[in-house]
Amino acid sequence: MIIGKKVIENDIAGSTNELAERLLGTDYLPEGTVITASYQTAGKGHGSNAWLSEKGKNLLISVILRPSYLEAGEQFLISMFVSLGIRDMLMEATEGIDVKVKWPNDILAAEKKIAGILILNAVSGRYLAHSIIGIGLNINQDSFPKEAGEAVSLKMLTSRQHELIACREHLFRTLDKRLMMVTGAPGRLIEDYLGSLYRYRKMADYLINEKRVEAMITGVDEFGRLCLSGKGGEEFVCDIKDIKYL
Ligand code: BTN
C-alpha cells in the first residue's frame, strides 16, 4: 500500500493542501503521505470557492505523490484515478448507490455533490515532479449551507453514522487500487472513467463560451479537456473555464 502508509493528522489546519505544499518544501515526506485535518479554517475549493466542512464530521485530506513517470500532458490520469477511487469507496459503502464523476472534479451521489477534488501538480521539465491531491469527502454532516450548493453526505445517504478512520482507511485502499492502474492498465482506467461520467452520452444543456447549447459529452481528450458533440453536429473541446453545466 502506498497511499496512507504515513498519515500526518492535524486537529486544525488552514488548508491541508497548503500545509502539504509547505511540508514538501521542508520535510522528507514518503510517497503516498497523507495530511489530514478535522477542521480547516481556510479550506480551498476550485477558483475562489471555499470548502466548508463542519469540525470532525468529514474527511479532509491531501495525498502527496511523486508521479515522475507521467509526462505533464498525462496529468489528467491523476484526476481519473482519484475520482474512480472515491467512487469505488462510496459505491461499496452505500452498497450500490449510483455514484457519478462530474468532470472535472466533483463526485455526485444521488445527483448531489458528496466530494470535491483539488489537485495541485508541479512539473519539472517534461515530467510531473509532485502532485498534491486534496479531497473533501462528506461523511457525517447532516446539512449543508446554501453556498455549498446541492450537497449530500454518506450519512444522509445511508441513514447511519460512519466511523471516520474506517472510511479513511477504506478510501486509501480504493485509491491505491486505482493508482496501480495509472501505470498497469491506463486504457481500462480511462474506460472506467468514461463509464462513470455524469451525463456521458446524454443530451443536456450547457453554457459553452457564454452560449447556451444542447450537447452530449462524448469523451475527454488526452489533456483532460471535455469533448462534447452539439445537437447540430458541432464539436466542442472545453477547459473548465469554457463550460458551465445547466
Ligand atoms: C472543489 O470541489 O471545489 C474542490 C474541493 C477540495 C476540498 C479539499 S478538502 C482537503 C483539501 N484542502 C483544501 O483546502 N481543499 C481540499
Side-chain angles (χ1 to χ4, degrees):
M1 182 155 136
I2 294 172
I3 295 175
K5 216 158 85 179
K6 178 179 167 100
V7 180
I8 302 174
E9 296 188 347
N10 298 274
D11 191 26
I12 298 185
S15 147
T16 56
N17 270 20
E18 284 186 359
L19 182 56
E21 209 165 10
R22 241 188 359 259
L23 292 179
L24 262 172
T26 55
D27 296 16
Y28 172 71
L29 301 175
E31 186 69 353
T33 296
V34 173
I35 320 281
T36 71
S38 303
Y39 182 69
Q40 296 183 128
T41 53
K44 304 258 174 301
H46 274 267
S48 55
N49 293 343
W51 185 257
L52 304 168
S53 171
E54 286 175 8
K55 188 170 194 312
K57 295 278 175 85
N58 304 313
L59 290 180
L60 303 168
I61 70 173
S62 297
V63 182
I64 293 170
L65 292 179
R66 295 182 188 80
S68 53
Y69 44 85
L70 286 181
E71 292 201 11
E74 299 173 313
Q75 57 188 278
F76 199 69
L77 287 171
I78 306 272
S79 178
M80 287 184 173
F81 102 74
V82 174
S83 302
L84 288 171
I86 299 171
R87 177 176 185 262
D88 292 344
M89 179 270 185
L90 288 169
M91 298 272 287
E92 289 168 16
T94 58
E95 288 165 14
I97 283 186
D98 195 25
V99 180
K100 294 280 184 208
V101 177
K102 184 175 171 196
W103 180 93
N105 44 53
D106 292 352
I107 307 296
L108 306 183
E111 302 240 334
K112 292 183 177 160
K113 181 158 170 170
I114 190 161
I117 304 163
L118 184 62
I119 300 175
L120 310 169
N121 285 323
V123 173
S124 169
R126 276 173 57 195
Y127 294 95
L128 287 187
H130 68 247
S131 189
I132 297 171
I133 301 160
I135 301 172
L137 174 51
N138 300 331
I139 302 288
N140 286 322
Q141 196 162 320
D142 292 299
S143 62
F144 292 88
K146 267 203 315 286
E147 307 89 279
E150 283 256 78
V152 74
S153 68
L154 188 56
K155 181 181 176 190
M156 288 159 75
L157 292 169
T158 57
S159 310
R160 68 178 179 88
Q161 190 87 9
H162 292 261
E163 222 271 300
L164 278 183
I165 301 290
C167 289
R168 194 175 84 187
E169 295 295 323
H170 186 181
L171 179 64
F172 292 167
R173 287 195 300 276
T174 54
L175 285 173
D176 229 63
K177 276 199 199 145
R178 291 293 184 173
L179 172 60
M180 297 303 126
M181 293 176 75
V182 171
T183 47
R188 255 287 304 287
L189 190 71
I190 295 169
E191 213 175 280
D192 290 352
Y193 181 83
L194 293 179
S196 64
L197 258 193
Y198 173 64
R199 291 187 178 177
Y200 184 56
R201 297 210 161 276
K202 292 198 174 101
M203 271 296 172
D205 294 327
Y206 299 90
L207 208 57
I208 298 180
N209 298 322
E210 312 298 323
K211 235 181 95 189
R212 195 187 174 102
V213 294
E214 200 181 343
M216 181 171 80
I217 295 174
T218 53
V220 173
D221 76 1
E222 75 255 48
F223 303 111
R225 296 176 301 186
L226 193 67
C227 305
L228 303 100
S229 186
K231 209 176 160 192
E234 53 297 32
E235 300 293 328
F236 303 98
V237 180
C238 298
D239 275 322
I240 187 166
K241 61 178 184 343
D242 306 327
I243 184 164
K244 212 172 153 217
Y245 291 71
L246 294 176

